[in-house]
């Protein structure tokens, strides 16, 4: 069928056959197929392709790894070797021999966009924008004359910039590139233009920073190959200011459009560009008759047309002057490039022209749809209108309410009741606040409160937003479901950006006023103003959990929900494992979802679990996204807490090598979050999370930026200590350290001392922890985690090559991450063993592990093992002081009781009462004396020269409170005993 369709457009047919994409035309190539873990993941390395059919996969794999070199290396490797071996130059056949094998990068990109489905198109455009490549705005459909406006493909591109008006305040703007208002400047060329328009544009966009090939041009590798299908494509790029005068070419954001090929062969595109552009620059050597007629037909926009003339001869200039006269064009609208002026210098003159053009109104790409339709162009969002409407219906429900208020009303099950339930579950295990109550009574009280909270949750009626959300997920057409979820994400992100921007402004104002109460309130609101698909999925999980406590509404109504979530997991969507807001795992929901997935894959669910862990804002999600091409949220604007899991299928060619059916990725929130820094339980939160995810893993990637190494070392100590305290850990995860923002070829060798020092410290802490936990068999950190000091350290340079927002992704970053992934997969193949778990095993392990975490009430609250050890030492001494106190009072009380019991009581009881009162007074003095002795011992302990004592300074007040409590306890006990002894005295009669 594809072949029959393509026959009508022979160039497209020939090219798609040539690169092996015939089976994927049109729009049959999916993102899901590219995320599969197979041999291509390992074979993607290399500078050149081995066959023409490899070029699409070479380009796509490198692009998904955000490698800015993906457009180079598209010619055959053996051609390079052959050309280097040839000693003679055949002027007649050289071009002919290579032309058939050369692939112009623009042709390949065009073909891939025509073969990709809507979601792969979007991902390609996003990664191309990160690499600072131009992206398709208008795409000809090959055999059809109609051209498509690629609005959907561009919707996921989000950019930040700082216009110079915000430089002083250090503010910034963040928006989808489709929604951002900015002037458009278009560049087109006539047939005979010898000037490289694209190279000129690159100079315009790269001045002031390192030159970058944003647009493919003839002087770059592969750019000289004749274009076969790319003519008529309009590419789009942007200049976005960083707010630094010396670096920015323009002070405000500007969009640049570039029409490929002869403008006379793309009249519809040209008409569109002249309508939406602030100015259209037409590059030429001369103007022929057909071109003259085309330009004159656009007299209505003549004031916005600018000629860029590459002067070759004076005769050619006459044709330009005739057209200028016909259009009544001002001389200021013409720029002439002399042969003595190079493109770099000429580009500066063009920049001046652009700066001087007054923008009569900025355009958004989003508003171009109606114009495109009027001009006979199609747009790529027609197929998703119903899904968009469903998503907008939910978003409109937010209205003018704040996001925290919306969540309370429309997503009530994940509110305060659920958070309180999470606290009660842990307290039921730890029983820290029982006080004087009998433990059985206290436990029963906790269970009653939990049941009461579940009953309160049962009273909530499902809001309309959740009905719409679940109905859309239940759509049997997966494409409609996927469109709905994407529209939800886009619309929720848009709303969150708006709210967060306003909150940041108010927060800044209150900081200037130093209103602490208002600052704290706004800080909490900022944290609660996160709203994404994960919150709707979380509510769906709570609906499922609550249904089992609701006798009035049978659980049968929600029994289909785990299957909906399992289908999403199978299709590459992440699912929340640990609710970071409540600090809890909804075990029934997670278990039933994963068991549904286990059933759907025919119980072929062998898992290899890979986790990344790191301090906040160290690029751990970006690392996973780059390694595997996945889409964990990476925006710093919305803070998503907790842990998320994502399933990656293993291809048939690697099932035996890796001995697993899926790689399960677990991404966690950033540790040491500034949002939690002021909270007492911040250590506990981070330590629990780290212990949980490391324990679940077969491979743990510890992501470290150099400035955060101390924090990660602390967390690793606690995790290792927790392993020792929790019985039957079983697993010994492989541990890899990834050091981010470390460049230089000598980094690995020069940092050997630092790595050795880190391991020595971890070994020392492990030994201390093992001694505390009475596990003498544990001697080193590597007895707990599998770690090789030479092979398990990776050094990765910074993400950006230059100053954002105009900086492309650093190729060194992409290559280093790719090498790490390749080595990781090769190691997993080599170390393949039969001890592999399936989903039921994983769930059983997760449940027992989470139970152990909930019962652990000691180690998680400390910053690191040294602190825990110092505290433990003080606690041991404190227990000795306490025992001495109690022993002294017991001895004193025994003597006092003996004296009272020997008292000769007659008819007058007053002497006995006086004796008891005097003993009470004596007891209070003795207790006070013992109290002062304990306080003195505590003060002396803190004056010791032991360097570790200072680590527990913050716990001093806790011990003083314990002394006070002990005093009160002893006072009550001794005085009560004296009174009892008084009543035991019997009168003696003579």
């Amino acid at each position: 069928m594809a072949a029959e369709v393509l026959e009508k457009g022979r160039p497209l047919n020939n090219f798609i056959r040539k690169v092996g994409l015939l089976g994927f035309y049109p729009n049959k190539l999916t993102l899901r197929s590219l995320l599969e873990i197979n041999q291509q993941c390992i074979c993607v390395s290399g500078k050149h392709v081995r066959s023409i059919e490899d070029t699409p996969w070479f380009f796509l794999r490198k692009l998904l790894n955000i490698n800015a070199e993906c457009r180079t290396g598209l010619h055959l490797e053996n051609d390079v070797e052959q050309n280097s071996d040839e000693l003679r130059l055949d002027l007649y056949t050289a071009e002919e021999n290579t032309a058939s094998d050369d692939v112009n990068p623009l042709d390949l990109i065009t073909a891939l966009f025509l073969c990709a489905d809507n979601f792969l198109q979007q991902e390609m455009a996003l990664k191309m924008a990160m690499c600072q490549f131009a992206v398709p705005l208008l795409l000809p459909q090959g055999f059809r004359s109609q051209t498509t406006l690629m609005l959907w493909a561009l919707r996921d591109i989000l950019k930040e910039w700082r216009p110079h008006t915000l430089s002083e305040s250090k503010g910034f703007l963040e928006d989808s590139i489709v929604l951002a208002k900015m002037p458009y400047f278009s560049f087109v060329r006539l047939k005979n233009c010898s000037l490289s328009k694209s190279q000129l544009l690159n100079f315009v966009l790269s001045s002031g920073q390192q030159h970058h090939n944003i647009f493919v041009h003839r002087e770059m590798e592969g750019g000289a190959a004749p274009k076969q299908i790319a003519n008529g494509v309009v590419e789009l790029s942007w200049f976005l200011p960083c707010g630094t005068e010396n670096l920015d070419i323009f002070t405000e954001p500007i969009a640049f459009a570039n029409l490929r090929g002869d403008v006379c062969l793309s009249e519809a595109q040209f008409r569109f560009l002249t309508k939406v552009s602030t100015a259209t620059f037409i590059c030429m050597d001369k103007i022929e008759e057909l071109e003259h007629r085309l330009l004159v037909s656009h007299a209505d926009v003549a004031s916005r047309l600018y000629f860029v003339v590459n002067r070759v001869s004076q005769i050619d200039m006459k044709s330009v002057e005739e057209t200028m006269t016909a259009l009544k064009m001002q001389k200021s609208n013409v720029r002439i490039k002399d042969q003595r002026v190079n493109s770099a210098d000429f580009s500066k003159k063009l920049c001046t022209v652009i700066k001087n053009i007054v923008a009569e109104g900025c355009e958004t790409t989003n508003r171009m749809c109606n114009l495109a339709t009027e001009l006979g162009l199609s747009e790529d969002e027609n197929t998703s209108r119903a899904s968009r409407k469903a998503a907008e219906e939910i978003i409109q429900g937010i209205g003018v309410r704040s996001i925290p208020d919306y969540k309370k009303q429309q997503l009530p099950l994940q509110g305060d009741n659920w958070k309180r339930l999470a606290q009660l579950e842990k307290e039921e295990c730890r029983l820290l606040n029982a006080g004087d109550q009998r433990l059985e009574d206290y436990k029963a009280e906790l269970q009653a409160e939990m049941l009461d909270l579940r009953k309160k949750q049962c009273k909530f009626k499902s809001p309309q937003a959740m009905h719409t959300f679940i109905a859309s997920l239940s759509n049997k057409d997966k494409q409609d479901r996927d469109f709905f979820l994407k529209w939800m994400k886009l619309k929720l992100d848009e709303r969150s950006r708006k709210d967060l921007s306003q909150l940041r402004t108010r927060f800044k104002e209150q900081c200037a006023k130093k209103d602490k109460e208002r600052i704290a309130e706004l800080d909490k609101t900022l944290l609660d103003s996160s709203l994404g698909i994960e919150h709707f999925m979380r509510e769906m999980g709570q609906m499922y959990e609550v249904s089992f406590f609701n006798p009035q509404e049978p659980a049968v109504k929600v029994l289909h929900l785990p299957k909906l979530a399992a289908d999403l997991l199978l299709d590459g969507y992440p699912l929340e494992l640990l609710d970071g807001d409540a600090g809890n795992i909804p075990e029934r929901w997670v278990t039933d979802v994963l068991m549904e997935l286990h059933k759907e894959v025919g119980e072929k669910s062998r898992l290899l679990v890979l986790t990344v862990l790191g301090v906040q804002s160290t690029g751990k999600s970006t690392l996973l996204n780059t390694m595997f091409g996945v889409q964990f949220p990476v925006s710093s604007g919305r803070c998503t807490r907790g842990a998320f899991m994502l399933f990656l299928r293993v291809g048939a060619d690697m099932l035996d090598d890796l001995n697993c059916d899926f790689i399960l990725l677990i991404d966690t929130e950033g540790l040491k979050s500034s949002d939690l820094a002021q909270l007492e339980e911040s250590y506990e939160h981070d330590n629990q999370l780290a212990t949980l995810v490391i324990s679940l893993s077969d491979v743990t990637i510890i992501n470290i930026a150099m400035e955060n190494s101390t924090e990660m070392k602390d967390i690793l100590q606690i995790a290792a200590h927790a392993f020792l305290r929790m019985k039957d850990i079983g697993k010994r995860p492989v541990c890899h350290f990834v050091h981010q923002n470390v460049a230089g070829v000598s980094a690995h060798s020069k940092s050997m001392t630092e790595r050795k020092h880190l391991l020595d410290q971890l070994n020392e802490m492990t030994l201390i922890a093992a001694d505390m936990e009475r596990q003498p068999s544990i001697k080193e950190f590597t007895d707990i985690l599998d770690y090789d000091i030479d092979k398990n350290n990776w050094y990765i340079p910074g993400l950006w090559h230059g100053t954002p927002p105009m900086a492309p992704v650093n190729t060194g970053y992409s290559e280093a991450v790719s090498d790490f992934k390749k080595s990781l997969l090769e190691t997993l193949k080599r170390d393949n063993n039969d001890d592999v778990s399936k989903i039921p095993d994983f769930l059983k392990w997760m449940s027992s592990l989470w139970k152990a975490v909930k019962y652990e009430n000691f180690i998680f609250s400390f910053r690191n093992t040294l602190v825990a050890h110092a505290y433990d030492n003080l606690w041991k001494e404190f227990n000795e002081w306490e025992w001495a106190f109690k022993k002294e009072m017991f001895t004193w009380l025994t003597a006092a009781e003996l004296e009272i019991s020997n008292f000769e009581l007659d008819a007058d009881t007053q002497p006995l009462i006086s004796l008891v009162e005097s003993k009470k007074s004596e007891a209070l003095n003795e207790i006070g004396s013992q109290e002062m002795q304990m306080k003195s011992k505590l003060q002396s302990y803190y004056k010791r020269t032991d360097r570790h004592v200072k680590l527990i300074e913050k716990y001093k007040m806790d011990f003083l409170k314990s002394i006070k409590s002990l005093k009160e306890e002893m006072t009550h006990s001794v005085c009560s005993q004296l009174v009892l002894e008084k009543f035991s005295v019997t009168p003696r009669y003579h």
Side-chain angles (χ1 to χ4, degrees):
M1 179 64 186
E4 292 174 12
V5 170
L6 283 168
E7 281 302 319
K8 299 178 181 178
R10 282 199 66 83
L12 179 60
N13 176 32
N14 294 338
F15 185 81
I16 284 185
R17 282 181 183 277
K18 173 181 171 180
V19 296
L21 288 175
L22 188 62
F24 298 100
Y25 183 87
N27 308 116
K28 293 176 185 174
L29 184 59
T30 65
L31 175 61
R32 204 166 297 133
S33 64
L34 293 169
L35 298 183
E36 188 179 87
I37 305 297
N38 52 37
Q39 287 292 346
Q40 283 188 335
C41 295
I42 299 175
C43 299
V44 72
S45 59
K47 291 187 176 180
H48 301 281
V49 294
R50 295 176 183 174
S51 70
I52 292 295
E53 290 80 8
D54 285 342
T55 53
W57 317 114
F58 178 90
F59 174 84
L60 281 173
R61 291 285 180 190
K62 282 190 176 281
L63 180 63
L64 291 179
N65 288 343
I66 47 175
N67 189 325
E69 295 298 311
C70 59
R71 295 179 303 185
T72 59
L74 299 180
H75 53 274
L76 301 187
E77 193 170 10
N78 56 1
D79 282 353
V80 180
E81 295 170 2
Q82 182 182 341
N83 290 341
S84 64
D85 291 339
E86 289 176 357
L87 298 177
R88 65 183 185 83
L89 179 64
D90 190 334
L91 296 175
Y92 298 99
T93 61
E95 184 177 337
E96 185 179 321
N97 288 341
T98 58
S100 60
D101 288 338
D102 283 350
V103 174
N104 190 297
L106 268 177
D107 284 335
L108 183 63
I109 291 169
T110 303
L112 283 169
F113 268 92
L114 290 171
C115 291
D117 71 357
N118 296 84
F119 303 98
L120 179 55
Q121 286 179 351
Q122 208 169 61
E123 186 67 9
M124 286 169 62
L126 175 62
K127 296 293 171 70
M128 287 172 72
M130 289 181 71
C131 293
Q132 292 297 343
F133 296 166
V135 295
L137 174 66
L138 296 177
L139 187 71
Q141 295 300 310
F143 67 91
R144 295 190 288 268
S145 58
Q146 195 171 45
T147 296
T148 301
L149 175 64
M150 304 295 286
L151 195 57
W152 171 260
L154 307 185
R155 278 206 182 271
D156 217 18
I157 301 174
L158 186 69
K159 293 285 187 179
E160 293 177 353
W161 65 93
R162 177 178 290 153
H164 285 213
T165 51
L166 296 178
S167 291
E168 191 174 335
S169 64
K170 302 298 181 186
F172 71 98
L173 296 177
E174 181 184 31
D175 209 347
S176 162
I177 213 70
V178 166
L179 301 174
K181 287 187 176 181
M182 61 182 76
Y184 270 66
F185 289 85
S186 297
F187 283 72
V188 303
R189 71 166 178 86
L190 302 185
K191 179 178 68 175
N192 51 49
C193 181
S194 58
L195 177 69
S196 175
K197 163 175 53 73
S198 300
Q199 190 175 27
L200 184 63
L201 266 173
N202 289 338
F203 279 117
V204 168
L205 286 164
S206 302
S207 298
Q209 293 199 43
Q210 188 170 347
H211 182 76
H212 182 61
N213 289 321
I214 294 170
F215 294 95
V216 174
H217 60 89
R218 66 176 76 124
E219 296 302 323
M220 63 179 280
E221 186 179 323
K227 291 193 290 291
Q228 298 178 42
I229 62 172
N231 288 330
V233 172
V234 175
E235 295 174 287
L236 188 63
S237 188
W238 308 268
F239 179 84
L240 302 170
C242 66
T244 303
E245 192 173 343
N246 292 337
L247 293 178
D248 287 336
I249 310 160
F250 308 105
T251 59
E252 298 291 330
I254 298 176
F256 290 88
N258 181 15
L259 172 61
R260 294 295 183 164
D262 181 0
V263 69
C264 290
L265 300 178
S266 306
E267 289 190 36
Q269 291 93 312
F270 181 49
R271 171 62 69 180
F272 176 83
L273 291 176
T274 58
K275 293 290 186 184
V276 301
S277 301
T278 300
T280 302
F281 291 83
I282 304 166
C283 300
M284 63 188 74
D285 287 355
K286 61 181 180 180
I287 299 176
E288 296 180 353
E289 181 60 31
L290 182 63
E291 296 163 344
H292 174 82
R293 288 203 298 270
L294 174 66
L295 294 175
V296 170
S297 69
H298 287 74
D300 57 324
V301 292
S303 62
R304 302 204 300 272
L305 297 180
Y306 287 77
F307 288 175
V308 178
V309 184
N310 186 34
R311 181 157 51 192
V312 178
S313 71
Q314 196 59 39
I315 298 173
D316 292 338
M317 288 301 297
K318 289 182 179 178
S319 62
V320 176
E321 290 168 1
E322 289 173 5
T323 306
M324 286 175 61
T325 302
L327 287 170
K328 299 178 182 178
M329 187 180 283
Q330 302 290 323
K331 287 186 178 181
S332 58
N333 282 32
V334 179
R335 285 293 177 271
I336 299 174
K337 180 186 176 299
D338 195 273
Q339 295 299 307
R340 293 167 294 181
V341 179
N342 64 27
S343 294
D345 292 334
F346 185 66
S347 69
K348 292 179 181 177
K349 296 180 180 179
L350 277 185
C351 288
T352 304
V353 174
I354 293 169
K355 288 175 187 176
N356 292 334
I357 295 173
V358 179
E360 297 174 355
C362 296
E363 186 61 88
T364 67
T365 313
N366 195 46
R367 294 175 58 185
M368 295 178 180
C369 288
N370 292 338
L371 177 62
T373 305
E374 288 172 18
L375 296 176
L377 307 178
S378 64
E379 50 99 357
D380 61 350
E381 292 184 344
N382 285 326
T383 55
S384 67
R385 295 198 186 282
S387 302
R388 179 177 185 172
K389 185 178 178 183
E392 286 177 341
E393 181 184 319
I394 294 175
I395 304 303
Q396 285 165 6
I398 302 175
V400 296
R401 285 177 289 187
S402 68
I403 286 177
D405 287 343
Y406 175 80
K407 287 201 284 192
K408 283 178 185 176
Q409 295 166 23
Q410 293 293 312
L411 307 173
L413 297 179
Q414 59 190 273
D416 293 336
N417 288 338
W418 165 236
K419 291 171 186 174
R420 177 61 181 158
L421 271 167
Q423 293 172 353
L424 290 172
E425 279 185 21
K426 287 176 186 169
E427 181 59 19
E428 185 187 15
C429 298
R430 299 174 183 178
L431 302 172
L432 295 176
N433 302 312
D436 296 331
Q437 282 182 275
R438 290 175 63 247
L439 292 183
E440 292 79 2
D441 295 340
Y442 182 58
K443 209 167 187 177
E445 187 181 295
L446 293 174
Q447 290 168 350
E449 186 180 350
M450 284 192 283
L451 187 59
D452 184 54
L453 286 170
R454 282 300 191 189
K455 287 178 180 177
K456 285 181 181 177
Q457 284 185 311
C458 291
K459 290 178 182 177
F460 287 114
K461 298 296 180 185
S462 296
Q464 182 57 42
M466 285 307 299
H467 280 299
T468 306
F469 182 78
I470 292 170
S472 298
L473 288 194
S474 304
N475 195 325
K476 291 183 179 178
D477 188 326
K478 281 194 175 183
Q479 187 182 50
D480 286 347
R481 180 205 65 184
D482 292 345
F483 270 124
F484 166 75
L485 287 170
K486 195 65 178 188
W487 276 117
M488 276 286 289
K489 177 188 178 297
L490 293 169
K491 295 294 181 181
L492 288 169
D493 285 354
E494 184 184 343
R495 175 58 191 257
S496 292
R497 283 195 302 271
K498 178 184 171 185
D499 283 21
L500 288 170
S501 177
Q502 293 171 353
L503 285 169
R504 286 192 199 102
T505 302
R506 284 158 54 193
F507 186 81
K508 201 169 183 179
E509 290 170 357
Q510 295 304 322
C511 285
K513 294 177 182 177
K514 298 182 179 178
D515 184 343
K516 290 184 179 179
E517 189 175 320
R518 185 69 182 131
I519 288 170
E521 185 183 320
L522 281 170
D523 203 20
K524 186 179 185 306
T525 306
L526 273 166
L527 186 61
D528 292 341
S529 292
S530 169
L531 182 62
I533 291 172
E534 65 272 17
H535 292 94
F536 288 85
M537 291 297 295
R538 183 188 295 172
E539 190 74 8
M540 196 164 88
Q542 282 301 303
M543 287 171 63
Y544 184 75
E545 294 251 340
V546 169
S547 68
F548 292 91
F549 296 88
N550 191 352
Q552 285 150 0
E553 286 195 28
V556 69
K557 288 189 175 182
V558 294
L559 285 179
H560 67 296
L561 296 185
K563 185 179 187 312
L564 296 182
D567 287 343
L568 289 174
L569 270 176
L570 278 173
D571 290 336
Y573 289 92
L575 183 73
E576 189 173 59
L577 172 65
L578 173 74
D579 179 342
D581 290 321
N584 202 8
I585 295 177
E587 283 191 68
R588 188 192 294 267
W589 167 246
V590 171
T591 298
D592 289 358
V593 169
L594 292 187
M595 285 306 296
E596 186 66 40
L597 189 152
H598 178 63
K599 187 169 70 176
E600 287 195 26
V601 296
E603 301 188 357
K604 295 178 180 178
S605 65
R606 295 170 299 167
L607 298 179
L608 190 149
V609 185
L610 188 149
T611 296
V612 66
L613 198 67
V615 174
Q616 190 180 45
S617 301
T618 52
K620 56 190 176 42
S621 296
T622 302
L623 177 68
L624 275 185
N625 291 351
T626 306
M627 282 179 75
F628 297 104
V630 294
Q631 294 175 307
F632 284 113
V634 295
S635 171
S636 58
R638 276 179 42 289
C639 177
T640 302
R641 295 172 58 190
F644 289 81
M645 54 183 174
L646 187 147
F647 281 72
L648 290 177
R649 282 187 183 274
V650 174
D653 57 357
M654 288 192 73
L655 283 173
D656 293 332
D657 290 337
L658 293 178
N659 194 27
C660 65
D661 301 293
F662 294 94
I663 289 182
L664 173 57
L665 301 181
I666 298 180
D667 185 29
T668 61
E669 67 174 276
L671 304 175
K672 301 294 178 183
S673 164
S674 57
D675 299 318
L676 293 174
Q678 306 304 319
L679 301 180
E680 284 295 319
E681 66 270 17
S682 61
Y683 288 141
E684 183 175 348
H685 173 272
D686 286 351
N687 293 334
Q688 282 182 3
L689 180 62
T691 302
L692 175 70
V693 297
I694 293 175
S695 303
L696 286 174
S697 306
D698 297 297
V699 178
T700 300
I701 299 170
I702 308 295
N703 191 55
I704 300 178
M706 294 311 291
E707 61 273 18
N708 301 117
S709 57
T710 302
E711 286 93 335
M712 275 314 303
K713 182 179 69 180
D714 290 344
I715 290 167
L716 276 175
Q717 291 174 28
I718 293 298
H721 198 151
F723 289 176
L724 292 173
R725 288 178 66 86
M726 294 187 295
K727 296 177 181 178
D728 303 322
I729 287 301
K731 283 190 180 183
R732 183 168 166 255
V734 178
C735 183
H736 287 268
F737 285 88
V738 173
H739 305 265
Q740 296 246 24
N741 303 320
V742 182
V745 293
S746 60
H748 191 275
S749 299
K750 286 185 175 180
S751 61
M752 181 63 192
T753 307
E754 293 175 13
R755 296 201 304 274
K756 181 72 168 60
H757 182 58
L758 172 63
L759 184 58
D760 287 344
Q761 286 181 311
L762 291 173
N763 284 338
E764 181 188 349
M765 296 309 107
T766 302
L767 202 58
I768 291 171
D771 181 57
M772 288 172 65
E773 303 307 326
R774 295 178 177 82
Q775 296 200 29
S777 61
I778 303 296
K779 304 291 185 185
E780 296 177 331
F781 178 71
T782 49
D783 291 334
I784 301 171
L785 290 175
D786 186 352
Y787 167 68
D788 186 305
I789 193 170
D790 290 319
K791 297 177 182 178
N792 292 28
N793 279 279
W794 300 85
Y795 294 86
I796 296 179
L799 176 64
W800 301 111
H801 183 62
T803 305
M806 288 305 292
V809 170
N810 183 0
T811 304
Y813 176 88
S814 306
E815 289 288 354
V817 172
S818 183
D819 287 345
F820 174 40
K821 177 185 177 181
K822 182 180 177 182
S823 174
L824 191 63
L825 291 176
E826 291 284 10
T827 303
L828 292 172
K829 283 171 62 177
R830 187 175 62 250
D831 298 343
N832 179 359
N833 60 65
D834 296 329
D835 185 19
V836 64
S837 61
K838 290 188 175 184
I839 282 178
D841 306 311
F842 174 80
L843 288 170
K844 185 179 178 182
W845 171 233
M846 179 197 77
S847 181
S848 63
L849 179 63
W850 184 238
K851 184 178 179 181
V853 167
K854 286 192 291 187
Y855 270 96
E856 175 55 58
N857 62 3
F858 171 72
I859 193 63
F860 290 140
S861 59
F862 298 107
R863 181 164 62 88
N864 59 34
T865 297
L866 277 181
V867 177
H869 187 234
Y871 184 94
D872 191 52
N873 286 338
L874 174 54
W875 185 252
K876 286 174 183 175
E877 290 212 26
F878 186 85
N879 283 337
E880 291 177 8
W881 305 337
E882 184 179 356
W883 169 244
F885 186 157
K886 289 181 176 179
K887 182 180 178 183
E888 187 66 31
M889 290 312 301
F890 177 77
T891 304
W892 181 91
L893 182 61
T894 302
E897 285 177 334
L898 184 61
E899 185 178 345
I900 293 170
S901 64
N902 290 335
F903 185 80
E904 292 188 6
L905 182 64
D906 52 24
D908 185 5
T909 59
Q910 189 58 42
L912 177 61
I913 294 171
S914 298
L915 174 63
V916 171
E917 289 302 318
S918 70
K919 286 299 176 185
K920 278 186 182 180
S921 177
E922 191 180 324
L924 291 176
N925 290 334
E926 184 64 28
I927 289 170
S929 172
Q930 291 296 323
E931 178 193 20
M932 292 307 296
Q933 285 183 42
M934 281 193 76
K935 285 183 177 179
S936 177
K937 288 176 182 177
L938 185 65
Q939 296 292 349
S940 298
Y941 190 93
Y942 272 96
K943 288 178 182 177
R944 290 182 185 178
T945 54
D946 181 355
R947 61 191 173 95
H948 296 155
V949 169
K950 292 182 179 178
L951 297 175
I952 52 173
E953 186 67 37
K954 74 178 223 175
Y955 299 104
K956 187 175 181 180
M957 190 56 66
D958 293 340
F959 282 98
L960 286 171
K961 287 177 181 177
S962 295
I963 293 172
K964 184 181 177 182
S965 297
L966 179 60
K967 173 196 169 185
E968 291 171 355
E969 178 191 337
M970 292 308 297
T971 301
H972 175 74
S973 175
V974 170
C975 291
S976 299
Q977 201 65 32
L978 289 172
V979 171
L980 285 173
E981 191 62 35
K982 179 184 74 172
F983 289 116
S984 68
V985 177
T986 56
R988 299 185 183 181
Y989 299 101
H990 302 285

